[in-house]
Amino acid sequence: MCRDMPPLELAIQFHGHICPGLLMGVRASEFAIQHLQLERDRDEELLAVVETNSCGVDAIQSILGCTFGKGNLIFKDYGKAVYTIASRDKGKAIRIAQKFNANRNPLFNRYRELNIKDHLTPEEKTEQENLLGQVFESIMTAPFEDIFEWHEIEFDFPEKAEIRKTLQCSVCGEGVMDARAVTTEPGVVCPTCYIDQGGE
Amino acid sequence: MCEANVYINRNGKEELLMEKVDRMIPGDENNIFMESIFGERRVIQARIKEMQLVHHRIILEEIKTAAEFQEQEIWLTLDTEHGHFHDGEEIRLNLFNGYNMKVNQDHVFSHPQVSMLQHGQTRECPVQINEGIVEVNLGEEADGLMQVYAHESGDKELYAKIFLEVGHHHHHGVEPVGLPLEIIPSNYQHARMGENYEIQVLKNGLPLAGAKVKSTYAGTSNHDYPHHLVTDEDGKTSLFLTARGNYLFSVADGEIISTFTLTKSF
Ligand SMILES: [Zn+2]
Ligand SMILES: [Zn+2]
């Protein structure tokens, strides 16, 4: 890459397609950057708690650099478009929740209707393409308060993750983090092998 | 007998297209493949209008591609995936004829002229016509920001323009190249998805108010231009960019059609 990519572009390239959910995540991420006055090299000190595992989270990962791999993305499986972004350096956190009506209007409804269809006629494909353009513009230009509810919250930063030991599974021979290994009669077993052997 | 005769509706009239068809497969881009029991095969751009199975009749409707009934225009593109060139890269551009960024393969270029403007100096660019596309090769010498523009005379005077950037620079203020009808961006650097992009239309160097500007983007499935804009009293108008590929702006005035290709950087 030979140029700094704008946040939106980062998110689209990471996610692979443009969709309303991703764009909502872009707005939330951009708001967090602005409100928490985040620096360019911010990812190490940031923490995101996401309450959904759908498209918007990919914006959080690509724009804010809070990723599964780095351990600064915490997933709570609540099925809610809610993102809490916390900055260690600033000692501040904001909770950003998508408003219930943010994506409820005829434009979005029709887009969703077409999106779940298995087969689109050429006319419907064109309609879908044009609707996505309109949805895109409406999300990116909407006043933030119209689509999100947000406030600063108290946030307890978890301890930095300690480095765990890796043990070898006595059945498959693969490595497994000590906290996840199960000690059985024949020796240490990984969760996969433990379940295979009828364990819970 | 289970085969059907396939008819096509062209301008309200039904014509027999193929007799005793036993296989029809709809494909991409409105193509329909058909095969008769005699082994005759054919692919046609059409859609199924009606199937009268008892009468063994299938009626198709012709789909006119935009390029067939619309006015032709020319436009330039950079032959790079990247949006710009790097130092030492061979700089190639293409000039197309068609409509709504859909190439008219049947068009034969007569005398396309391609020129380049850099630092206030104009030079003619060598062109080569290859299967209906004009190829422009500027070699590896160029550096900085250039404007390349093309002209072809036919039923109408067709113009096309594009910016060409080699290396990474910052540029401010863009000079018009001086076409009789010309689209210029208000800010060359600023062309991002999710933002407004402003252009200005100049006629003989002066802002043209009330001009109808059409805009499209590469790969659209729309048969006609998806965006229609009108310039304000300063000859300006803007479009919110939502497509990933390049955009094309087109404006017509009298006998002139002039396009401007906006190359996206990502
Ligand atoms: Zn998505
Ligand atoms: Zn194992």
mmCIF file with all atom_site columns, all heavy atoms in Angstrom, chain A residues 167-176 181-198:
data_model
loop_
_atom_site.group_PDB
_atom_site.id
_atom_site.type_symbol
_atom_site.label_atom_id
_atom_site.label_alt_id
_atom_site.label_comp_id
_atom_site.label_asym_id
_atom_site.label_entity_id
_atom_site.label_seq_id
_atom_site.pdbx_PDB_ins_code
_atom_site.Cartn_x
_atom_site.Cartn_y
_atom_site.Cartn_z
_atom_site.occupancy
_atom_site.B_iso_or_equiv
_atom_site.pdbx_formal_charge
_atom_site.auth_seq_id
_atom_site.auth_comp_id
_atom_site.auth_asym_id
_atom_site.auth_atom_id
_atom_site.pdbx_PDB_model_num
ATOM 1   N N   . LEU A 1 167 ? 0.900   -26.441 26.429 1.00 0.00 ? 167 LEU A N   1
ATOM 2   C CA  . LEU A 1 167 ? 1.148   -27.849 26.760 1.00 0.00 ? 167 LEU A CA  1
ATOM 3   C C   . LEU A 1 167 ? 0.901   -28.701 25.526 1.00 0.00 ? 167 LEU A C   1
ATOM 4   O O   . LEU A 1 167 ? 0.263   -28.254 24.585 1.00 0.00 ? 167 LEU A O   1
ATOM 5   C CB  . LEU A 1 167 ? 0.215   -28.296 27.896 1.00 0.00 ? 167 LEU A CB  1
ATOM 6   C CG  . LEU A 1 167 ? 0.242   -27.444 29.173 1.00 0.00 ? 167 LEU A CG  1
ATOM 7   C CD1 . LEU A 1 167 ? -0.787  -27.953 30.170 1.00 0.00 ? 167 LEU A CD1 1
ATOM 8   C CD2 . LEU A 1 167 ? 1.639   -27.446 29.805 1.00 0.00 ? 167 LEU A CD2 1
ATOM 9   N N   . GLN A 1 168 ? 1.402   -29.935 25.566 1.00 0.00 ? 168 GLN A N   1
ATOM 10  C CA  . GLN A 1 168 ? 1.140   -30.814 24.434 1.00 0.00 ? 168 GLN A CA  1
ATOM 11  C C   . GLN A 1 168 ? 0.046   -31.819 24.790 1.00 0.00 ? 168 GLN A C   1
ATOM 12  O O   . GLN A 1 168 ? 0.091   -32.467 25.844 1.00 0.00 ? 168 GLN A O   1
ATOM 13  C CB  . GLN A 1 168 ? 2.413   -31.577 24.023 1.00 0.00 ? 168 GLN A CB  1
ATOM 14  C CG  . GLN A 1 168 ? 2.197   -32.327 22.715 1.00 0.00 ? 168 GLN A CG  1
ATOM 15  C CD  . GLN A 1 168 ? 3.471   -32.990 22.210 1.00 0.00 ? 168 GLN A CD  1
ATOM 16  O OE1 . GLN A 1 168 ? 4.371   -33.300 22.996 1.00 0.00 ? 168 GLN A OE1 1
ATOM 17  N NE2 . GLN A 1 168 ? 3.551   -33.195 20.908 1.00 0.00 ? 168 GLN A NE2 1
ATOM 18  N N   . CYS A 1 169 ? -0.941  -31.948 23.883 1.00 0.00 ? 169 CYS A N   1
ATOM 19  C CA  . CYS A 1 169 ? -2.047  -32.877 24.102 1.00 0.00 ? 169 CYS A CA  1
ATOM 20  C C   . CYS A 1 169 ? -1.528  -34.307 23.977 1.00 0.00 ? 169 CYS A C   1
ATOM 21  O O   . CYS A 1 169 ? -0.809  -34.621 23.030 1.00 0.00 ? 169 CYS A O   1
ATOM 22  C CB  . CYS A 1 169 ? -3.164  -32.610 23.098 1.00 0.00 ? 169 CYS A CB  1
ATOM 23  S SG  . CYS A 1 169 ? -4.461  -33.859 23.093 1.00 0.00 ? 169 CYS A SG  1
ATOM 24  N N   . SER A 1 170 ? -1.896  -35.150 24.935 1.00 0.00 ? 170 SER A N   1
ATOM 25  C CA  . SER A 1 170 ? -1.363  -36.517 24.938 1.00 0.00 ? 170 SER A CA  1
ATOM 26  C C   . SER A 1 170 ? -2.054  -37.394 23.897 1.00 0.00 ? 170 SER A C   1
ATOM 27  O O   . SER A 1 170 ? -1.604  -38.493 23.618 1.00 0.00 ? 170 SER A O   1
ATOM 28  C CB  . SER A 1 170 ? -1.525  -37.140 26.330 1.00 0.00 ? 170 SER A CB  1
ATOM 29  O OG  . SER A 1 170 ? -2.901  -37.192 26.665 1.00 0.00 ? 170 SER A OG  1
ATOM 30  N N   . VAL A 1 171 ? -3.119  -36.904 23.306 1.00 0.00 ? 171 VAL A N   1
ATOM 31  C CA  . VAL A 1 171 ? -3.814  -37.707 22.289 1.00 0.00 ? 171 VAL A CA  1
ATOM 32  C C   . VAL A 1 171 ? -3.395  -37.291 20.877 1.00 0.00 ? 171 VAL A C   1
ATOM 33  O O   . VAL A 1 171 ? -2.866  -38.079 20.111 1.00 0.00 ? 171 VAL A O   1
ATOM 34  C CB  . VAL A 1 171 ? -5.350  -37.609 22.443 1.00 0.00 ? 171 VAL A CB  1
ATOM 35  C CG1 . VAL A 1 171 ? -6.052  -38.413 21.353 1.00 0.00 ? 171 VAL A CG1 1
ATOM 36  C CG2 . VAL A 1 171 ? -5.775  -38.079 23.831 1.00 0.00 ? 171 VAL A CG2 1
ATOM 37  N N   . CYS A 1 172 ? -3.604  -36.006 20.520 1.00 0.00 ? 172 CYS A N   1
ATOM 38  C CA  . CYS A 1 172 ? -3.327  -35.588 19.138 1.00 0.00 ? 172 CYS A CA  1
ATOM 39  C C   . CYS A 1 172 ? -1.925  -35.015 18.991 1.00 0.00 ? 172 CYS A C   1
ATOM 40  O O   . CYS A 1 172 ? -1.442  -34.842 17.874 1.00 0.00 ? 172 CYS A O   1
ATOM 41  C CB  . CYS A 1 172 ? -4.371  -34.584 18.656 1.00 0.00 ? 172 CYS A CB  1
ATOM 42  S SG  . CYS A 1 172 ? -4.328  -33.009 19.524 1.00 0.00 ? 172 CYS A SG  1
ATOM 43  N N   . GLY A 1 173 ? -1.306  -34.682 20.066 1.00 0.00 ? 173 GLY A N   1
ATOM 44  C CA  . GLY A 1 173 ? 0.053   -34.162 19.982 1.00 0.00 ? 173 GLY A CA  1
ATOM 45  C C   . GLY A 1 173 ? 0.133   -32.682 19.666 1.00 0.00 ? 173 GLY A C   1
ATOM 46  O O   . GLY A 1 173 ? 1.221   -32.120 19.566 1.00 0.00 ? 173 GLY A O   1
ATOM 47  N N   . GLU A 1 174 ? -1.030  -32.030 19.489 1.00 0.00 ? 174 GLU A N   1
ATOM 48  C CA  . GLU A 1 174 ? -1.014  -30.602 19.173 1.00 0.00 ? 174 GLU A CA  1
ATOM 49  C C   . GLU A 1 174 ? -0.864  -29.781 20.448 1.00 0.00 ? 174 GLU A C   1
ATOM 50  O O   . GLU A 1 174 ? -1.150  -30.254 21.544 1.00 0.00 ? 174 GLU A O   1
ATOM 51  C CB  . GLU A 1 174 ? -2.302  -30.221 18.432 1.00 0.00 ? 174 GLU A CB  1
ATOM 52  C CG  . GLU A 1 174 ? -2.347  -30.823 17.022 1.00 0.00 ? 174 GLU A CG  1
ATOM 53  C CD  . GLU A 1 174 ? -3.698  -30.688 16.327 1.00 0.00 ? 174 GLU A CD  1
ATOM 54  O OE1 . GLU A 1 174 ? -4.636  -30.146 16.926 1.00 0.00 ? 174 GLU A OE1 1
ATOM 55  O OE2 . GLU A 1 174 ? -3.788  -31.152 15.186 1.00 0.00 ? 174 GLU A OE2 1
ATOM 56  N N   . GLY A 1 175 ? -0.400  -28.567 20.278 1.00 0.00 ? 175 GLY A N   1
ATOM 57  C CA  . GLY A 1 175 ? -0.219  -27.692 21.421 1.00 0.00 ? 175 GLY A CA  1
ATOM 58  C C   . GLY A 1 175 ? -1.544  -27.109 21.887 1.00 0.00 ? 175 GLY A C   1
ATOM 59  O O   . GLY A 1 175 ? -2.432  -26.870 21.081 1.00 0.00 ? 175 GLY A O   1
ATOM 60  N N   . VAL A 1 176 ? -1.671  -26.855 23.174 1.00 0.00 ? 176 VAL A N   1
ATOM 61  C CA  . VAL A 1 176 ? -2.887  -26.254 23.697 1.00 0.00 ? 176 VAL A CA  1
ATOM 62  C C   . VAL A 1 176 ? -2.541  -25.361 24.889 1.00 0.00 ? 176 VAL A C   1
ATOM 63  O O   . VAL A 1 176 ? -1.673  -25.688 25.698 1.00 0.00 ? 176 VAL A O   1
ATOM 64  C CB  . VAL A 1 176 ? -3.925  -27.352 24.073 1.00 0.00 ? 176 VAL A CB  1
ATOM 65  C CG1 . VAL A 1 176 ? -3.349  -28.364 25.046 1.00 0.00 ? 176 VAL A CG1 1
ATOM 66  C CG2 . VAL A 1 176 ? -5.201  -26.727 24.647 1.00 0.00 ? 176 VAL A CG2 1
ATOM 67  N N   . ALA A 1 181 ? -6.486  -26.672 28.628 1.00 0.00 ? 181 ALA A N   1
ATOM 68  C CA  . ALA A 1 181 ? -6.212  -28.105 28.642 1.00 0.00 ? 181 ALA A CA  1
ATOM 69  C C   . ALA A 1 181 ? -6.960  -28.775 29.786 1.00 0.00 ? 181 ALA A C   1
ATOM 70  O O   . ALA A 1 181 ? -7.251  -28.157 30.807 1.00 0.00 ? 181 ALA A O   1
ATOM 71  C CB  . ALA A 1 181 ? -4.713  -28.351 28.767 1.00 0.00 ? 181 ALA A CB  1
ATOM 72  N N   . VAL A 1 182 ? -7.285  -30.037 29.584 1.00 0.00 ? 182 VAL A N   1
ATOM 73  C CA  . VAL A 1 182 ? -7.990  -30.806 30.617 1.00 0.00 ? 182 VAL A CA  1
ATOM 74  C C   . VAL A 1 182 ? -7.058  -31.918 31.080 1.00 0.00 ? 182 VAL A C   1
ATOM 75  O O   . VAL A 1 182 ? -6.426  -32.589 30.253 1.00 0.00 ? 182 VAL A O   1
ATOM 76  C CB  . VAL A 1 182 ? -9.282  -31.442 30.053 1.00 0.00 ? 182 VAL A CB  1
ATOM 77  C CG1 . VAL A 1 182 ? -10.126 -32.048 31.172 1.00 0.00 ? 182 VAL A CG1 1
ATOM 78  C CG2 . VAL A 1 182 ? -10.090 -30.404 29.273 1.00 0.00 ? 182 VAL A CG2 1
ATOM 79  N N   . THR A 1 183 ? -6.948  -32.062 32.392 1.00 0.00 ? 183 THR A N   1
ATOM 80  C CA  . THR A 1 183 ? -6.094  -33.137 32.898 1.00 0.00 ? 183 THR A CA  1
ATOM 81  C C   . THR A 1 183 ? -6.952  -34.378 33.126 1.00 0.00 ? 183 THR A C   1
ATOM 82  O O   . THR A 1 183 ? -7.945  -34.330 33.844 1.00 0.00 ? 183 THR A O   1
ATOM 83  C CB  . THR A 1 183 ? -5.404  -32.716 34.210 1.00 0.00 ? 183 THR A CB  1
ATOM 84  O OG1 . THR A 1 183 ? -4.849  -31.407 34.003 1.00 0.00 ? 183 THR A OG1 1
ATOM 85  C CG2 . THR A 1 183 ? -4.294  -33.686 34.571 1.00 0.00 ? 183 THR A CG2 1
ATOM 86  N N   . THR A 1 184 ? -6.614  -35.463 32.458 1.00 0.00 ? 184 THR A N   1
ATOM 87  C CA  . THR A 1 184 ? -7.368  -36.721 32.585 1.00 0.00 ? 184 THR A CA  1
ATOM 88  C C   . THR A 1 184 ? -6.409  -37.822 33.023 1.00 0.00 ? 184 THR A C   1
ATOM 89  O O   . THR A 1 184 ? -5.199  -37.588 33.134 1.00 0.00 ? 184 THR A O   1
ATOM 90  C CB  . THR A 1 184 ? -8.019  -37.122 31.249 1.00 0.00 ? 184 THR A CB  1
ATOM 91  O OG1 . THR A 1 184 ? -6.984  -37.368 30.302 1.00 0.00 ? 184 THR A OG1 1
ATOM 92  C CG2 . THR A 1 184 ? -8.943  -36.034 30.726 1.00 0.00 ? 184 THR A CG2 1
ATOM 93  N N   . GLU A 1 185 ? -6.943  -39.025 33.176 1.00 0.00 ? 185 GLU A N   1
ATOM 94  C CA  . GLU A 1 185 ? -6.123  -40.177 33.564 1.00 0.00 ? 185 GLU A CA  1
ATOM 95  C C   . GLU A 1 185 ? -4.847  -40.321 32.737 1.00 0.00 ? 185 GLU A C   1
ATOM 96  O O   . GLU A 1 185 ? -3.748  -40.290 33.283 1.00 0.00 ? 185 GLU A O   1
ATOM 97  C CB  . GLU A 1 185 ? -6.946  -41.478 33.443 1.00 0.00 ? 185 GLU A CB  1
ATOM 98  C CG  . GLU A 1 185 ? -7.997  -41.661 34.539 1.00 0.00 ? 185 GLU A CG  1
ATOM 99  C CD  . GLU A 1 185 ? -7.416  -42.147 35.861 1.00 0.00 ? 185 GLU A CD  1
ATOM 100 O OE1 . GLU A 1 185 ? -6.349  -42.798 35.834 1.00 0.00 ? 185 GLU A OE1 1
ATOM 101 O OE2 . GLU A 1 185 ? -8.030  -41.857 36.916 1.00 0.00 ? 185 GLU A OE2 1
ATOM 102 N N   . PRO A 1 186 ? -5.033  -40.457 31.389 1.00 0.00 ? 186 PRO A N   1
ATOM 103 C CA  . PRO A 1 186 ? -3.815  -40.694 30.598 1.00 0.00 ? 186 PRO A CA  1
ATOM 104 C C   . PRO A 1 186 ? -2.907  -39.472 30.468 1.00 0.00 ? 186 PRO A C   1
ATOM 105 O O   . PRO A 1 186 ? -1.775  -39.604 30.004 1.00 0.00 ? 186 PRO A O   1
ATOM 106 C CB  . PRO A 1 186 ? -4.352  -41.108 29.221 1.00 0.00 ? 186 PRO A CB  1
ATOM 107 C CG  . PRO A 1 186 ? -5.779  -40.713 29.182 1.00 0.00 ? 186 PRO A CG  1
ATOM 108 C CD  . PRO A 1 186 ? -6.243  -40.432 30.560 1.00 0.00 ? 186 PRO A CD  1
ATOM 109 N N   . GLY A 1 187 ? -3.373  -38.311 30.830 1.00 0.00 ? 187 GLY A N   1
ATOM 110 C CA  . GLY A 1 187 ? -2.520  -37.134 30.766 1.00 0.00 ? 187 GLY A CA  1
ATOM 111 C C   . GLY A 1 187 ? -3.284  -35.899 30.324 1.00 0.00 ? 187 GLY A C   1
ATOM 112 O O   . GLY A 1 187 ? -4.525  -35.877 30.342 1.00 0.00 ? 187 GLY A O   1
ATOM 113 N N   . VAL A 1 188 ? -2.539  -34.891 29.922 1.00 0.00 ? 188 VAL A N   1
ATOM 114 C CA  . VAL A 1 188 ? -3.156  -33.631 29.496 1.00 0.00 ? 188 VAL A CA  1
ATOM 115 C C   . VAL A 1 188 ? -3.813  -33.806 28.129 1.00 0.00 ? 188 VAL A C   1
ATOM 116 O O   . VAL A 1 188 ? -3.217  -34.382 27.226 1.00 0.00 ? 188 VAL A O   1
ATOM 117 C CB  . VAL A 1 188 ? -2.081  -32.517 29.445 1.00 0.00 ? 188 VAL A CB  1
ATOM 118 C CG1 . VAL A 1 188 ? -2.623  -31.280 28.750 1.00 0.00 ? 188 VAL A CG1 1
ATOM 119 C CG2 . VAL A 1 188 ? -1.616  -32.186 30.850 1.00 0.00 ? 188 VAL A CG2 1
ATOM 120 N N   . VAL A 1 189 ? -5.052  -33.320 27.989 1.00 0.00 ? 189 VAL A N   1
ATOM 121 C CA  . VAL A 1 189 ? -5.801  -33.470 26.734 1.00 0.00 ? 189 VAL A CA  1
ATOM 122 C C   . VAL A 1 189 ? -6.351  -32.110 26.315 1.00 0.00 ? 189 VAL A C   1
ATOM 123 O O   . VAL A 1 189 ? -6.764  -31.309 27.155 1.00 0.00 ? 189 VAL A O   1
ATOM 124 C CB  . VAL A 1 189 ? -6.960  -34.488 26.930 1.00 0.00 ? 189 VAL A CB  1
ATOM 125 C CG1 . VAL A 1 189 ? -7.808  -34.586 25.676 1.00 0.00 ? 189 VAL A CG1 1
ATOM 126 C CG2 . VAL A 1 189 ? -6.429  -35.850 27.315 1.00 0.00 ? 189 VAL A CG2 1
ATOM 127 N N   . CYS A 1 190 ? -6.341  -31.854 24.983 1.00 0.00 ? 190 CYS A N   1
ATOM 128 C CA  . CYS A 1 190 ? -6.902  -30.596 24.476 1.00 0.00 ? 190 CYS A CA  1
ATOM 129 C C   . CYS A 1 190 ? -8.432  -30.700 24.431 1.00 0.00 ? 190 CYS A C   1
ATOM 130 O O   . CYS A 1 190 ? -8.970  -31.801 24.454 1.00 0.00 ? 190 CYS A O   1
ATOM 131 C CB  . CYS A 1 190 ? -6.346  -30.285 23.093 1.00 0.00 ? 190 CYS A CB  1
ATOM 132 S SG  . CYS A 1 190 ? -7.045  -31.301 21.791 1.00 0.00 ? 190 CYS A SG  1
ATOM 133 N N   . PRO A 1 191 ? -9.145  -29.587 24.369 1.00 0.00 ? 191 PRO A N   1
ATOM 134 C CA  . PRO A 1 191 ? -10.618 -29.635 24.389 1.00 0.00 ? 191 PRO A CA  1
ATOM 135 C C   . PRO A 1 191 ? -11.193 -30.485 23.254 1.00 0.00 ? 191 PRO A C   1
ATOM 136 O O   . PRO A 1 191 ? -12.165 -31.198 23.455 1.00 0.00 ? 191 PRO A O   1
ATOM 137 C CB  . PRO A 1 191 ? -11.037 -28.171 24.228 1.00 0.00 ? 191 PRO A CB  1
ATOM 138 C CG  . PRO A 1 191 ? -9.870  -27.384 24.694 1.00 0.00 ? 191 PRO A CG  1
ATOM 139 C CD  . PRO A 1 191 ? -8.653  -28.193 24.352 1.00 0.00 ? 191 PRO A CD  1
ATOM 140 N N   . THR A 1 192 ? -10.569 -30.419 22.068 1.00 0.00 ? 192 THR A N   1
ATOM 141 C CA  . THR A 1 192 ? -11.084 -31.191 20.931 1.00 0.00 ? 192 THR A CA  1
ATOM 142 C C   . THR A 1 192 ? -11.075 -32.682 21.257 1.00 0.00 ? 192 THR A C   1
ATOM 143 O O   . THR A 1 192 ? -12.068 -33.379 21.078 1.00 0.00 ? 192 THR A O   1
ATOM 144 C CB  . THR A 1 192 ? -10.192 -30.957 19.684 1.00 0.00 ? 192 THR A CB  1
ATOM 145 O OG1 . THR A 1 192 ? -9.659  -29.652 19.739 1.00 0.00 ? 192 THR A OG1 1
ATOM 146 C CG2 . THR A 1 192 ? -10.971 -31.160 18.406 1.00 0.00 ? 192 THR A CG2 1
ATOM 147 N N   . CYS A 1 193 ? -9.944  -33.147 21.721 1.00 0.00 ? 193 CYS A N   1
ATOM 148 C CA  . CYS A 1 193 ? -9.821  -34.575 22.015 1.00 0.00 ? 193 CYS A CA  1
ATOM 149 C C   . CYS A 1 193 ? -10.677 -34.950 23.219 1.00 0.00 ? 193 CYS A C   1
ATOM 150 O O   . CYS A 1 193 ? -11.235 -36.034 23.286 1.00 0.00 ? 193 CYS A O   1
ATOM 151 C CB  . CYS A 1 193 ? -8.368  -34.932 22.266 1.00 0.00 ? 193 CYS A CB  1
ATOM 152 S SG  . CYS A 1 193 ? -7.362  -34.731 20.798 1.00 0.00 ? 193 CYS A SG  1
ATOM 153 N N   . TYR A 1 194 ? -10.795 -34.038 24.151 1.00 0.00 ? 194 TYR A N   1
ATOM 154 C CA  . TYR A 1 194 ? -11.596 -34.289 25.344 1.00 0.00 ? 194 TYR A CA  1
ATOM 155 C C   . TYR A 1 194 ? -13.050 -34.540 24.943 1.00 0.00 ? 194 TYR A C   1
ATOM 156 O O   . TYR A 1 194 ? -13.681 -35.489 25.380 1.00 0.00 ? 194 TYR A O   1
ATOM 157 C CB  . TYR A 1 194 ? -11.485 -33.112 26.310 1.00 0.00 ? 194 TYR A CB  1
ATOM 158 C CG  . TYR A 1 194 ? -12.192 -33.333 27.616 1.00 0.00 ? 194 TYR A CG  1
ATOM 159 C CD1 . TYR A 1 194 ? -11.735 -34.306 28.511 1.00 0.00 ? 194 TYR A CD1 1
ATOM 160 C CD2 . TYR A 1 194 ? -13.310 -32.574 27.956 1.00 0.00 ? 194 TYR A CD2 1
ATOM 161 C CE1 . TYR A 1 194 ? -12.387 -34.520 29.714 1.00 0.00 ? 194 TYR A CE1 1
ATOM 162 C CE2 . TYR A 1 194 ? -13.965 -32.773 29.164 1.00 0.00 ? 194 TYR A CE2 1
ATOM 163 C CZ  . TYR A 1 194 ? -13.503 -33.750 30.049 1.00 0.00 ? 194 TYR A CZ  1
ATOM 164 O OH  . TYR A 1 194 ? -14.148 -33.955 31.230 1.00 0.00 ? 194 TYR A OH  1
ATOM 165 N N   . ILE A 1 195 ? -13.560 -33.690 24.034 1.00 0.00 ? 195 ILE A N   1
ATOM 166 C CA  . ILE A 1 195 ? -14.947 -33.834 23.569 1.00 0.00 ? 195 ILE A CA  1
ATOM 167 C C   . ILE A 1 195 ? -15.087 -35.113 22.752 1.00 0.00 ? 195 ILE A C   1
ATOM 168 O O   . ILE A 1 195 ? -16.052 -35.858 22.894 1.00 0.00 ? 195 ILE A O   1
ATOM 169 C CB  . ILE A 1 195 ? -15.383 -32.583 22.769 1.00 0.00 ? 195 ILE A CB  1
ATOM 170 C CG1 . ILE A 1 195 ? -15.469 -31.381 23.720 1.00 0.00 ? 195 ILE A CG1 1
ATOM 171 C CG2 . ILE A 1 195 ? -16.712 -32.802 22.061 1.00 0.00 ? 195 ILE A CG2 1
ATOM 172 C CD1 . ILE A 1 195 ? -15.521 -30.041 23.034 1.00 0.00 ? 195 ILE A CD1 1
ATOM 173 N N   . ASP A 1 196 ? -14.080 -35.389 21.907 1.00 0.00 ? 196 ASP A N   1
ATOM 174 C CA  . ASP A 1 196 ? -14.106 -36.614 21.092 1.00 0.00 ? 196 ASP A CA  1
ATOM 175 C C   . ASP A 1 196 ? -14.212 -37.869 21.973 1.00 0.00 ? 196 ASP A C   1
ATOM 176 O O   . ASP A 1 196 ? -14.821 -38.860 21.593 1.00 0.00 ? 196 ASP A O   1
ATOM 177 C CB  . ASP A 1 196 ? -12.835 -36.729 20.247 1.00 0.00 ? 196 ASP A CB  1
ATOM 178 C CG  . ASP A 1 196 ? -12.911 -35.843 19.009 1.00 0.00 ? 196 ASP A CG  1
ATOM 179 O OD1 . ASP A 1 196 ? -14.003 -35.262 18.766 1.00 0.00 ? 196 ASP A OD1 1
ATOM 180 O OD2 . ASP A 1 196 ? -11.893 -35.723 18.298 1.00 0.00 ? 196 ASP A OD2 1
ATOM 181 N N   . GLN A 1 197 ? -13.612 -37.779 23.131 1.00 0.00 ? 197 GLN A N   1
ATOM 182 C CA  . GLN A 1 197 ? -13.616 -38.952 24.013 1.00 0.00 ? 197 GLN A CA  1
ATOM 183 C C   . GLN A 1 197 ? -14.863 -39.004 24.890 1.00 0.00 ? 197 GLN A C   1
ATOM 184 O O   . GLN A 1 197 ? -14.960 -39.808 25.795 1.00 0.00 ? 197 GLN A O   1
ATOM 185 C CB  . GLN A 1 197 ? -12.373 -38.931 24.911 1.00 0.00 ? 197 GLN A CB  1
ATOM 186 C CG  . GLN A 1 197 ? -11.108 -39.258 24.134 1.00 0.00 ? 197 GLN A CG  1
ATOM 187 C CD  . GLN A 1 197 ? -9.867  -39.075 24.976 1.00 0.00 ? 197 GLN A CD  1
ATOM 188 O OE1 . GLN A 1 197 ? -9.935  -38.538 26.084 1.00 0.00 ? 197 GLN A OE1 1
ATOM 189 N NE2 . GLN A 1 197 ? -8.733  -39.529 24.456 1.00 0.00 ? 197 GLN A NE2 1
ATOM 190 N N   . GLY A 1 198 ? -15.769 -38.104 24.611 1.00 0.00 ? 198 GLY A N   1
ATOM 191 C CA  . GLY A 1 198 ? -17.053 -38.151 25.316 1.00 0.00 ? 198 GLY A CA  1
ATOM 192 C C   . GLY A 1 198 ? -17.122 -37.208 26.504 1.00 0.00 ? 198 GLY A C   1
ATOM 193 O O   . GLY A 1 198 ? -18.099 -37.210 27.243 1.00 0.00 ? 198 GLY A O   1
#
